[in-house]
């Protein structure tokens, strides 16, 4: 999003940014550069859901390789943001959509019924009895202006506990089912919030 941590911000800059800021609107059937953070390609189900409303250009969500001078934290994130917007512009995309997925698991203590949610580093889950929940966060960036917005739909969870020797297989199927539900609902929420047609219809009502 072009946020530079060590950049000095002045009041004039803030006021100018507020004056230039415009709400993000998604045009039906427009082109969107789609990124899944940390993945070489976005999940196929997310591409399919987005393709119902837009022309989707899948793009890598892998960060640039670290060099010997410093980490990504010290690089010019504003420059990286402009490079990504340039790549989107060359693809004819007016908007960039980047999404993050967090899978959480919870073990239930039967005596107290206390459930503690713990984020998992990957989509894979341990082979044990547990609840599962998926959270998605979506960031939209307007390619022309650099204006951005973030959407965080409600999480999807399941209380179906896997048992037996094929627990690992059942867990992975449950993760895929939760992902598919989350992707579909997130795209619907995206359309309700940012689609030009739905925003205009709501105003008319």
């Amino acid at each position: 999003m072009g946020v530079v941590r060590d950049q000095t911000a002045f009041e004039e800059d803030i006021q100018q940014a507020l004056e230039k800021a415009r709400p993000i609107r998604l045009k039906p059937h427009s082109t969107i550069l789609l990124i899944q953070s940390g993945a070489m390609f976005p999940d196929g189900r997310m591409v399919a859901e987005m393709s119902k409303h837009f022309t989707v250009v899948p793009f890598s969500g892998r960060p640039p390789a670290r060099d010997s001078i410093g980490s990504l934290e010290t690089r010019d994130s504003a420059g990286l943001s402009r490079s990504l917007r340039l790549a989107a512009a060359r693809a004819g995309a007016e908007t960039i959509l980047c999404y993050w997925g967090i899978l959480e698991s919870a073990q239930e203590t039967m005596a107290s019924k206390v459930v503690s949610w713990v984020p998992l580093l990957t989509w894979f889950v341990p082979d044990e009895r547990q609840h599962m929940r998926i959270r998605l966060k979506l960031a939209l960036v307007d390619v022309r202006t650099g204006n951005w917005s973030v959407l965080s739909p409600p999480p999807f969870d399941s209380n179906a506990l896997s048992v037996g020797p094929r627990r690992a297989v059942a867990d992975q199927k449950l993760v895929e089912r939760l992902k598919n539900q989350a992707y579909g609902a997130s795209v619907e929420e995206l359309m309700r919030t940012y689609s030009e047609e739905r925003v205009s219809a709501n105003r008319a009502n």
Side-chain angles (χ1 to χ4, degrees):
M1 297 178 185
V3 178
V4 182
R5 295 190 177 186
D6 58 353
Q7 182 182 30
T8 302
F10 299 97
E11 287 297 329
E12 294 81 2
D13 301 326
I14 298 173
Q15 296 302 321
Q16 290 179 7
L18 282 173
E19 292 174 358
K20 295 180 180 179
R22 297 292 182 272
I24 296 205
R25 293 290 178 258
L26 296 175
K27 300 177 182 178
H29 311 299
S30 62
T31 301
I32 287 184
L33 193 77
L34 181 62
I35 300 171
Q36 179 178 342
S37 180
M40 184 63 69
F41 299 102
D43 278 347
R45 184 56 183 266
M46 186 61 162
V47 174
E49 291 292 337
M50 290 291 295
S51 296
K52 295 177 181 178
H53 308 280
F54 309 100
T55 299
V56 177
V57 179
F59 200 75
S60 172
R62 294 281 180 88
R66 299 174 185 269
D67 54 30
S68 58
I69 298 176
S71 66
L72 293 173
E73 296 288 339
T74 62
R75 293 189 178 188
D76 181 8
S77 58
L80 291 174
S81 175
R82 288 191 295 269
S83 297
L84 184 57
R85 288 167 56 198
L86 177 59
R90 288 174 173 169
E94 299 179 4
T95 310
I96 299 169
L97 173 61
C98 180
Y99 68 96
W100 296 259
I102 299 175
L103 177 65
E104 298 174 317
S105 69
Q107 293 179 326
E108 183 176 347
T109 303
M110 300 307 295
S112 60
K113 300 297 182 181
V114 174
V115 176
S116 177
W117 292 96
V118 179
L120 299 176
L121 296 179
T122 69
W123 289 121
F124 297 96
V125 296
D127 184 23
E128 58 188 17
R129 292 171 60 87
Q130 61 189 342
H131 303 272
M132 277 178 272
R133 179 168 66 190
I134 284 182
R135 296 178 180 271
L136 291 182
K137 183 169 66 173
L138 300 89
L140 285 167
V141 179
D142 184 88
V143 173
R144 285 189 175 88
T145 65
N147 292 337
W148 55 270
S149 183
V150 174
L151 178 68
S152 183
F156 276 78
D157 64 323
S158 172
N159 294 325
L161 304 182
S162 57
V163 294
R166 294 184 57 80
R167 183 183 302 132
V169 174
D171 282 345
Q172 299 313 315
K173 290 182 178 179
L174 176 58
V175 170
E176 290 300 318
R177 185 163 63 250
L178 286 175
K179 285 169 59 179
N180 292 340
Q181 292 174 351
Y183 289 154
S186 295
V187 172
E188 286 300 315
E189 183 69 19
L190 194 73
M191 296 300 295
R192 282 194 297 268
T193 306
Y194 298 104
S195 172
E196 280 189 348
E197 290 183 348
R198 298 202 181 186
V199 170
S200 299
N202 291 336
R203 288 177 178 174
N205 294 333

